[in-house]
Amino acid sequence: MTTVLRVPEELSARVPAEQRGPGLDRDAVRLLVSRGTAVSHHAFAELPRLLRAGDLLVVNTSPTLAAAVDGRIGHARVVVHFSTRGDDGRWAVELREPDGDGTTRARAGTRTGTGVRLPGGRRLVLEEPLSRAGERLWWARTAADVRGVLREYGRPIRYSYTERDQPLSAYQTVFALPSADGAGSAEMPSAARPFTARLVAELVSRGVQFAPITLHTGVSSADAHEPPYAERFAVPEASARLINNVRANQEEREALPRKGGGRRAGGRVVAVGTTAVRAVESAAGADGVVRAAEGWTELVVTPGRGVRVVDGLLTGLHEPEASHLLMLEAVAGRAAVDRGYEEALRGRYLWHEFGDVHLVLPEEEPHTEHCASNSS
């Protein structure tokens, strides 16, 4: 698997882009673009000129929850990260403890039967680990209305590389829609964070399409590199049809005579975030056709499995976890991933959910390349 150099601490994005200076908006981040091993450097606001009419962006509409809630075990303070609600009414949770700096650290000694007092007088009881691979996440049961508890007492999950707590609005993307059942993501689908309404309007005016899907993300952790666990997703019929139309148009263009022998330009399916990849690839059959689907997915996209639908990926820069790197490698290939991360480190791009972003596109023939600023 790809080896990635350690990310220096000073490259962690500590506050959202719009808080780094007067007059800035969410799109005031940098954009690294990879086409194979060719890399170019841009401002995110240039995205409409880097995409083209007929391209389709697959975007996650999951809203972010205020998923961190203070609790107590005996006299000890703990922080409960609510991750995912199961079909049986239990919640997957992670217990952490305050670190004295306003964030949390992993809590040792969690065991079956541990009881946590929640705000409002309710009690949460841990029943069993979510996975045999580790005891970070537990299935827990409570009589409390958890979503009501989150609304009243919760705050967004925050990690130690950030400077301070942020309002929940800082963790919502422009694509977020409220769920009828109050469900959402424990952590923000952060690849979409730099989009603004103005930028979306410009993309639409240039002929770029959008296909909404939903995947509710669970709690990740910088302390563990376990594979993804099951997450709830939905790919609506209209989005499946849009994706299939773009794919069919690609096949039609491929069948036409080519000038110069290269790949013909045409619309591409670009996933905004690894969550969008996981959702659409979960809804795709072996024939590459996407069908409306909803439920739970345990899919791990690897180079061996490959991708059946996605041509490109817009993703944040995160501490390299095994599953994240495998997905990037499946979309772009190992050489492109290695080159992209090397350039991001050399160019001192900012990491994590408030940081810069990386657009991975297929290699193109010279006749269809867009002009790239600051190419390297």
Side-chain angles (χ1 to χ4, degrees):
M1 189 172 59
T2 304
T3 300
V4 179
L5 299 175
R6 185 184 66 84
V7 179
E9 185 176 343
E10 65 269 18
L11 295 187
S12 294
R14 298 179 62 78
V15 296
E18 61 271 23
Q19 297 178 18
R20 295 178 200 148
L24 297 181
D25 206 339
R26 288 175 171 230
D27 59 2
V29 297
R30 299 168 69 194
L31 176 65
L32 182 76
V33 178
S34 294
R35 294 185 179 91
T37 56
V39 176
S40 56
H41 303 273
H42 305 266
F44 186 77
E46 295 178 62
L47 182 65
R49 293 193 282 114
L50 296 165
L51 298 177
R52 60 193 181 211
D55 283 343
L56 178 68
L57 294 179
V58 182
V59 297
N60 189 355
T61 64
S62 177
T64 307
L65 302 175
V69 175
D70 292 324
R72 286 190 177 272
I73 298 176
H75 296 293
R77 291 176 57 211
V78 296
V79 178
V80 183
H81 287 176
F82 285 90
S83 180
T84 306
R85 186 181 187 277
D87 291 333
D88 60 0
R90 296 187 299 175
W91 278 80
V93 302
E94 179 187 29
L95 293 191
R96 297 178 70 85
E97 58 187 15
D99 61 4
D101 295 320
T103 53
T104 61
R105 56 177 170 250
R107 183 181 186 275
T110 302
R111 56 179 60 88
T112 299
T114 297
V116 182
R117 296 199 310 277
L118 298 174
R122 294 295 190 177
R123 191 165 181 263
L124 179 79
V125 179
L126 305 190
E127 293 191 344
E128 60 181 329
L130 190 69
S131 168
R132 296 176 183 175
E135 296 186 349
R136 181 176 71 88
L137 291 165
W138 287 73
W139 284 115
R141 194 175 295 277
T142 179
D145 170 14
V146 170
R147 286 164 185 152
V149 169
L150 300 187
R151 285 192 298 271
E152 187 169 357
Y153 302 105
R155 60 185 179 275
I157 290 174
R158 175 191 161 203
Y159 288 113
S160 58
Y161 48 78
T162 56
E163 187 174 287
R164 57 181 176 270
D165 285 342
Q166 297 287 342
L168 184 59
S169 59
Y171 290 87
Q172 302 295 5
T173 74
V174 72
F175 304 111
L177 296 172
S179 299
D181 61 357
S185 289
E187 296 184 0
M188 172 177 54
S190 57
R193 191 185 190 279
F195 284 87
T196 63
R198 180 183 63 251
L199 189 67
V200 170
E202 184 178 353
L203 285 163
V204 171
S205 73
R206 289 173 176 262
V208 175
Q209 304 177 85
F210 290 84
I213 58 85
T214 302
L215 186 139
H216 298 311
T217 68
V219 173
S220 64
S221 175
D223 303 323
H225 297 281
E226 65 228 24
Y229 47 89
E231 293 172 317
R232 195 183 297 276
F233 82 104
V235 176
E237 176 64 38
S239 293
R241 188 163 53 248
L242 275 171
I243 294 167
N244 291 332
N245 286 344
V246 171
R247 301 287 293 171
N249 289 339
Q250 287 177 353
E251 292 173 3
E252 288 178 11
R253 281 187 290 268
E254 287 293 329
L256 294 172
R258 302 170 188 169
K259 295 180 180 180
R263 179 184 176 185
R264 231 174 226 283
R268 300 159 294 186
V269 178
V270 179
V272 178
T274 56
T275 59
V277 177
R278 199 179 191 202
V280 296
E281 293 292 332
S282 296
D287 56 1
V289 175
V290 177
R291 297 170 177 85
E294 61 180 311
W296 294 88
T297 179
E298 295 182 342
L299 177 66
V300 179
V301 178
T302 65
R305 189 265 189 192
V307 287
R308 298 168 180 170
V309 177
V310 172
D311 300 306
L313 171 63
L314 179 72
T315 181
L317 296 165
H318 301 283
E319 290 288 355
E321 295 184 0
S323 59
H324 182 79
L325 286 178
L326 286 171
M327 183 181 289
L328 283 175
E329 199 171 314
V331 174
R334 177 169 179 167
V337 175
D338 283 345
R339 172 74 169 140
Y341 270 80
E342 287 169 4
E343 279 295 301
L345 287 171
R346 187 183 68 82
R348 301 189 66 77
Y349 279 67
L350 294 181
W351 251 250
H352 303 301
E353 66 266 32
F354 297 140
D356 299 316
V357 283
H358 184 194
L359 176 62
V360 177
L361 293 173
E363 293 184 77
E364 294 181 324
E365 292 301 308
H367 294 298
T368 62
E369 278 289 351
H370 290 264
C371 295
S373 64
N374 302 321
S375 296
S376 64

